[in-house]
């Protein structure tokens, strides 16, 4: 760690991991309710559990991005963060808003629009925290060295802040509501977050492989370019059945195919760079996560998403468990793994240690990734069956649910394995250190 | 290609292309906005009651169990066409009474069956919510869902 203010990342990562645990626990609880429908049905009904599950995910990923930005921007800009005080204030506001939201949900206080459930005043606090952050990192980048990594990251963060403003627009016309709801929901996760993802991955690859920055940055432009070209109009695959014009059918299909390209390019990019460098970075666990991330993102977000993006297929599969299968692997592969890769890389430096508990960390990788792949497969099977029974044979929804219960049991099992993996990760990242080796050799390594 | 394709070329393609696609996306959205208002939904019947019903729907976060036009939690049935499923097109009064009776009877407490919470909606709220669902069923969704099962 070369700059003092990089330490600002540490509390962000801790808060992110705490919310990660909340998210996984809520997920396991939701999976339990699927197989024991009466479980907690009075105290914490399913819709509240689900709200906590999805909201905790979004907030901890954002906390991860904030922390990662505070960690990488000083190194990229070669200067300290503009105002450490603002960074602490921002963390305070954001964590307070997140906790207030979760407590409020438990008491049934929410706005009830899927994923944008936060009450108005919490949305306002989030925007304030976001603006403080944007101001802080933008000032830092402006006064220091401007690299492609930090510019692309800033564009992603600005985009996330600007497109969030559509969360405040809620017209009475449901079709219009949905049209703009996707401006936040799709344009965030399939667009601006991909800029953040590519920038963070580029930073990790520069550090882990030591390959010439020029080469990495040129391909960074190509990848994020492709992701924006395909992803903006790729929103079309959400506009098939909500009252929008029919031209979105072919636009959605064509650009959904193109959306796979940047994910595939990211795999080639990461593997080529790691292979080409031939350098053994001491933090093998971080390399594992950095390579796993684009691979799972390609399958989860790219391939599984593409499979039912064609209107002719989507007509039957839309709104079934197939969507849930795709959503789980897409979020895990693209954004969860990205943040865990970054934490694995940065936390040893932040704690002033050599990369430690690597074996445990790598076990957590296989536990979580294996569990998530299995969960995705079970939900995909459930979804295919559901599609046939509901959309072809026109059987009633609840009748079908009892036919696919076996898959929900498998999903619950996978969820429990994932929980074990998550606990292992948190323990390996923040837990006690058995073998504390002197820091000198690590900090002198140019690869730090 | 490697020699000709420079970093600044990559950068220019990135900025130029992104702005181009953002503008196209914005224009198509504007067109879709007016298409929704004038063609695919019936704004003349978007009454105060329908708007209030939408807020009842949101206040109780129905979307985190049910799906509406295919988006939601898939824990409970699709409701974009529930009005049609209850026979509202043929017998509006019957469908309204059926939906009200269903919501009042919750939770059913049937073992092994998913439970819908009792939201204790007033008569007015029930009517508003049903007006909203009825209005939603008339959005032109290009023939989706494939059948009444949702």
């Amino acid at each position: 760690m070369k700059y003092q203010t990089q330490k600002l990342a540490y509390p962000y990562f801790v808060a992110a991991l705490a919310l990660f645990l909340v998210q996984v626990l809520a997920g396991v609880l939701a999976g339990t309710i699927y197989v024991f429908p009466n479980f907690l049905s009075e105290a914490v009904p399913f819709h509240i559990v689900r709200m906590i599950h999805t909201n905790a995910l979004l907030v901890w990923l954002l906390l991860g991005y904030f922390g990662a930005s505070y960690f990488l921007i000083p190194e990229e800009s070669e200067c300290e963060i503009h105002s450490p005080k603002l960074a602490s204030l921002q963390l305070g506001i954001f964590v307070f808003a997140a906790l207030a939201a979760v407590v409020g949900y438990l008491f049934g206080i929410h706005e009830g629009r899927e994923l944008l459930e936060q009450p108005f005043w919490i949305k306002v606090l989030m925007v304030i925290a976001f603006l403080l952050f944007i101001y802080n990192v933008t000032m830092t980048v402006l006064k220091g060295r401007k690299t492609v990594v930090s510019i692309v990251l800033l564009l992603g963060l600005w985009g996330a802040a600007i497109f969030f403003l559509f969360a405040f627009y809620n017209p009475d016309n449901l079709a219009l509501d949905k049209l703009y709801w996707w401006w936040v929901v799709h344009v965030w996760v399939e667009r601006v977050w991909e800029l953040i993802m590519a920038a963070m991955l580029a930073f990790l690859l520069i550090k882990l492989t030591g390959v010439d920055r020029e080469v990495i940055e040129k391909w960074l432009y190509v990848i994020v370019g492709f992701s924006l070209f395909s992803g903006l109009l790729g929103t079309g695959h959400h506009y098939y059945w909500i009252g929008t014009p029919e031209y979105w059918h072919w636009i959605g299909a064509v650009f959904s195919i193109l959306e796979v390209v940047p994910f595939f390019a990211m795999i080639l990019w990461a593997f080529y760079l790691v292979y080409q460098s031939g350098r053994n970075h001491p933090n093998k666990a971080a390399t594992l996560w950095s390579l796993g991330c684009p691979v799972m993102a390609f399958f989860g977000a790219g391939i599984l998403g593409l499979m039912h993006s064609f209107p002719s297929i989507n007509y039957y599969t839309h709104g079934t468990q197939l969507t849930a299968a795709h959503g789980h692997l897409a979020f895990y592969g693209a954004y969860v793994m990205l943040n865990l890769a970054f934490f694995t890389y940065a936390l040893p430096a932040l704690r002033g240690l050599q990369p430690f508990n690597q074996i445990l960390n790598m076990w957590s990788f296989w536990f979580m990734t294996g569990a998530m792949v299995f969960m995705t497969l079970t939900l995909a099977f459930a979804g295919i069956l559901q599609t046939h029974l509901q959309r072809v044979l026109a059987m009633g929804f609840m009748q079908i649910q009892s036919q696919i219960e076996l898959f929900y049991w498998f999903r619950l099992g996978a969820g429990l394995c994932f929980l074990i993996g998550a606990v292992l990760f948190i323990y390996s990242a923040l837990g006690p250190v058995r073998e504390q080796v002197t820091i000198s050799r690590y900090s002198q390594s140019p690869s730090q | 290609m490697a020699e000709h394709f420079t970093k600044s070329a990559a950068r220019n393609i990135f900025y130029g292309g992104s702005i181009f696609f953002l503008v196209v996306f914005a224009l198509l959205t504007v067109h879709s906005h007016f298409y929704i208002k004038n063609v695919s939904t019936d704004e003349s019947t978007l009454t105060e009651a329908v708007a209030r019903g939408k807020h009842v729907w949101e206040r109780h976060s129905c979307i985190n169990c049910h799906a509406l036009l295919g988006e939601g939690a898939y824990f409970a049935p699709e409701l974009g066409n529930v009005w049609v499923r209850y026979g509202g097109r043929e017998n509006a009064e019957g469908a309204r009474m059926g939906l009200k009776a269903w919501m009042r009877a919750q939770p059913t407490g049937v073992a092994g069956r998913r439970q819908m919470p009792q939201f204790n909606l007033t008569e007015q709220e029930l009517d508003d919510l049903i007006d909203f669902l009825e209005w939603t069923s008339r959005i032109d969704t290009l023939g989706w869902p494939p059948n009444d099962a949702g």
Side-chain angles (χ1 to χ4, degrees), chain B:
Chain B
M1 182 184 162
E3 302 89 55
H4 302 299
F5 187 61
T6 59
K7 193 167 106 178
S8 61
R11 186 190 59 213
N12 294 343
I13 293 172
F14 166 66
Y15 282 114
S18 301
I19 291 168
F20 171 78
F21 281 104
L22 188 62
V23 169
V24 172
F25 181 52
L27 290 175
L28 287 176
T29 302
V30 170
H31 177 260
S32 300
H33 181 105
F34 289 105
Y35 180 87
I36 286 171
K37 282 180 93 73
N38 300 320
V39 182
S40 66
T41 69
D42 187 2
E43 283 223 323
S44 66
T45 55
L46 207 171
T47 59
E48 294 273 306
V50 172
R52 281 197 307 269
K54 183 165 180 281
H55 291 126
V56 174
W57 167 270
E58 286 164 1
R59 203 156 54 243
H60 299 288
S61 191
C62 309
I63 196 81
N64 273 304
C65 287
H66 291 279
L68 192 65
L69 303 187
E71 222 55 60
Y74 326 126
F75 183 70
E78 162 72 38
L79 295 188
N81 67 336
V82 71
W83 180 252
V84 181
R85 192 154 63 236
Y86 269 67
R89 278 183 188 159
E90 297 82 32
N91 178 359
E93 204 42 49
R96 184 172 294 268
M97 278 165 62
L99 282 165
K100 279 188 188 173
W102 172 258
M103 281 185 271
R104 285 206 189 98
Q106 303 306 317
T108 57
V110 177
R113 192 186 162 97
R114 295 177 194 170
Q115 299 299 317
M116 175 161 148
Q118 175 53 258
F119 290 111
N120 296 311
L121 301 184
T122 63
E123 192 68 23
Q124 167 89 55
E125 286 173 326
L126 283 170
D127 273 318
D128 292 343
L129 181 58
I130 293 166
D131 285 346
F132 167 66
L133 292 172
E134 195 257 318
W135 187 85
T136 299
S137 76
R138 286 189 283 109
I139 296 175
D140 177 12
T141 56
L142 301 172
W144 193 90
N147 55 55
D148 286 356

Side-chain angles (χ1 to χ4, degrees), chain A residues 162-176:
Chain A
I162 290 167
F163 282 95
F164 184 70
L165 297 179
F166 286 92
F168 289 97
Y169 179 55
N170 182 13
D172 289 334
N173 185 321
L174 180 72
L176 278 186

